[in-house]
Amino acid sequence: MSQQQPKQITSLEVKTDTPVREFFGAQTDAAVYANGTHIIGFGFDGTACFRKGTRNGPDGLRSVSEDIESYSPYLDADLFDHPFYDLGNLSLGSSDDVEAQWQHATDQFDQVFGPINLEADNIRVLTLGGEHSISYAPIRKYLQQYPELVLLHLDAHADLRDGFLGYHYSHASIIRRALDHFGPGHELIQYGIRSGTRDEYQFMNEHGTVRKSRKEFLDSVMAIPADRPIYLTLDLDYFDPAFLPGTGTPEPGGEDFHSYVSLMKILRQKNLVGADVVELSPEIDPTGNSDVFAAKIVRELLIILNEKGAR
């Protein structure tokens, strides 16, 4: 691990909830550091429309993290190669109202990272969900600060509805809400989508956002210039439920771990600036296999983010 003294950018002005444990290898801290990757949990499932439980996703990932190897044979790298930080979990507040809980945690995210220039200080954020609506806060922040950002959306669902079941900021609307903040230099690339409305598919086809084969998708990522910033939002139902059943809205026909590794090897050569991993519901899979699968997904992402942050 690097011995260089990290440069503190700011102390946390809000009190986050203490996690069950820090993610494997992370330093628990109440500060944000330059050239560092910071994990933050957003455990919320208030707008989930099928099976709930993703509120326990961030700590489910942390719980199993020390039971997996820190070394990735796929990337020939280790989580301990560079320091990274676990900031705990955003608080949902004291209200019983679903929208108030989401807003409270979203406001906390903005308080933690709002004053920070992520690009200037080379700060990378990995947000752990929670259902997909939690991605709004980090995606909005990255779109505001990176005018040329590519948003990579891996998911079984298009998430392009303009609200769902009365929720404007629904898990089924996250990409539509992200598009509300798109500028002329932003780009959306979607892959893994195999469920959606006719209108959603019409939108994706008309705007050319969806990639319909693994080769087409990987080629698209390969073609992104090496210095162009990329943000990855990964809904774990992207993977086939045969491999990862512990998610709220499973869809057959998904991807496997090795296709994900192929993507990671490409992203390692690109400018991955941030990410979120959402929709793990530990209680749905009593075997615990989904938790371990998801933790290894996070391990690969963290290694890449840590390497970029150490530059």
Side-chain angles (χ1 to χ4, degrees), residues 17 47 52 69 80 93 123 150 161 172 191 200 221 285 291 297:
D17 293 339
T47 78
K52 293 187 183 290
E69 298 289 349
F80 290 119
I123 292 167
V150 178
R161 299 172 190 247
Y191 178 61
E200 288 177 297
V221 180
D285 181 5
D291 300 359
I297 292 301

Side-chain angles (χ1 to χ4, degrees), residues 283-300:
E283 63 194 39
I284 290 176
D285 181 5
T287 70
N289 290 344
S290 295
D291 300 359
V292 174
F293 191 110
K296 289 202 170 187
I297 292 301
V298 171
R299 180 189 67 188
E300 306 305 304

Side-chain angles (χ1 to χ4, degrees), residues 23 57 60-62 64-65 67-69 74 154 234-247 254-261 264 277-280 282 285 287-301:
F23 194 89
L61 284 161
R62 291 183 177 102
V64 301
S65 65
D67 298 313
I68 66 173
E69 298 289 349
Y74 312 104
L154 302 186
L234 171 57
D235 186 326
L236 290 166
D237 64 28
Y238 165 78
F239 297 100
D240 195 276
F243 305 118
L244 199 153
T247 189
E255 293 289 300
D256 61 18
F257 187 82
H258 291 289
S259 71
Y260 173 78
V261 169
M264 291 300 101
V277 178
V278 300
E279 298 284 357
L280 175 67
D285 181 5
T287 70
N289 290 344
S290 295
D291 300 359
V292 174
F293 191 110
K296 289 202 170 187
I297 292 301
V298 171
R299 180 189 67 188
E300 306 305 304
L301 259 181

Side-chain angles (χ1 to χ4, degrees), residues 41-257:
F42 192 155
F44 172 77
D45 60 7
T47 78
C49 57
F50 185 24
R51 305 186 297 184
K52 293 187 183 290
T54 54
R55 63 188 177 278
N56 298 317
D59 276 349
L61 284 161
R62 291 183 177 102
S63 292
V64 301
S65 65
E66 290 190 6
D67 298 313
I68 66 173
E69 298 289 349
S70 59
Y71 172 75
S72 165
Y74 312 104
L75 300 177
D76 186 22
D78 198 293
L79 279 175
F80 290 119
D81 289 342
H82 305 286
F84 61 104
Y85 309 92
D86 193 333
L87 302 179
N89 294 321
L90 297 166
S91 169
L92 300 182
S94 57
S95 175
D96 293 329
D97 179 72
V98 164
E99 290 177 301
Q101 292 174 358
W102 180 89
Q103 191 64 60
H104 188 276
T106 297
D107 290 345
Q108 273 204 338
F109 183 95
D110 291 342
Q111 287 176 277
V112 172
F113 295 106
I116 296 172
N117 188 323
L118 299 175
E119 183 174 17
D121 291 310
N122 193 23
I123 292 167
R124 320 246 161 183
V125 183
L126 175 59
T127 308
L128 304 178
E131 52 150 92
H132 215 158
S133 69
I134 70 95
S135 305
Y136 176 76
I139 289 175
R140 179 180 59 178
K141 172 70 175 176
Y142 274 90
L143 288 172
Q144 288 170 344
Q145 295 213 334
Y146 290 91
E148 302 296 324
L149 188 77
V150 178
L151 177 61
L152 291 186
H153 173 217
L154 302 186
D155 202 323
H157 307 92
D159 289 352
L160 285 165
R161 299 172 190 247
D162 193 13
F164 190 60
L165 299 179
Y167 296 112
H168 187 62
Y169 296 96
S170 166
H171 72 105
S173 307
I174 178 60
I175 301 303
R176 176 61 66 90
R177 296 286 73 83
L179 290 173
D180 292 341
H181 299 277
F182 261 47
H186 293 136
E187 182 181 357
L188 172 63
I189 297 176
Q190 298 173 280
Y191 178 61
I193 314 300
R194 53 196 185 275
S195 180
T197 66
R198 185 191 301 270
D199 288 344
E200 288 177 297
Y201 272 90
Q202 217 166 21
F203 178 93
M204 291 187 294
N205 288 327
E206 287 177 1
H207 292 83
T209 64
V210 68
R211 304 298 183 265
K212 298 180 180 180
S213 74
R214 185 184 301 171
K215 182 180 186 306
E216 183 186 8
F217 169 63
L218 294 178
D219 285 349
S220 291
V221 180
M222 187 75 77
I224 298 171
D227 60 346
R228 188 175 181 186
I230 299 171
Y231 182 96
L232 172 65
T233 181
L234 171 57
D235 186 326
L236 290 166
D237 64 28
Y238 165 78
F239 297 100
D240 195 276
F243 305 118
L244 199 153
T247 189
T249 314
E251 297 283 352
E255 293 289 300
D256 61 18
F257 187 82

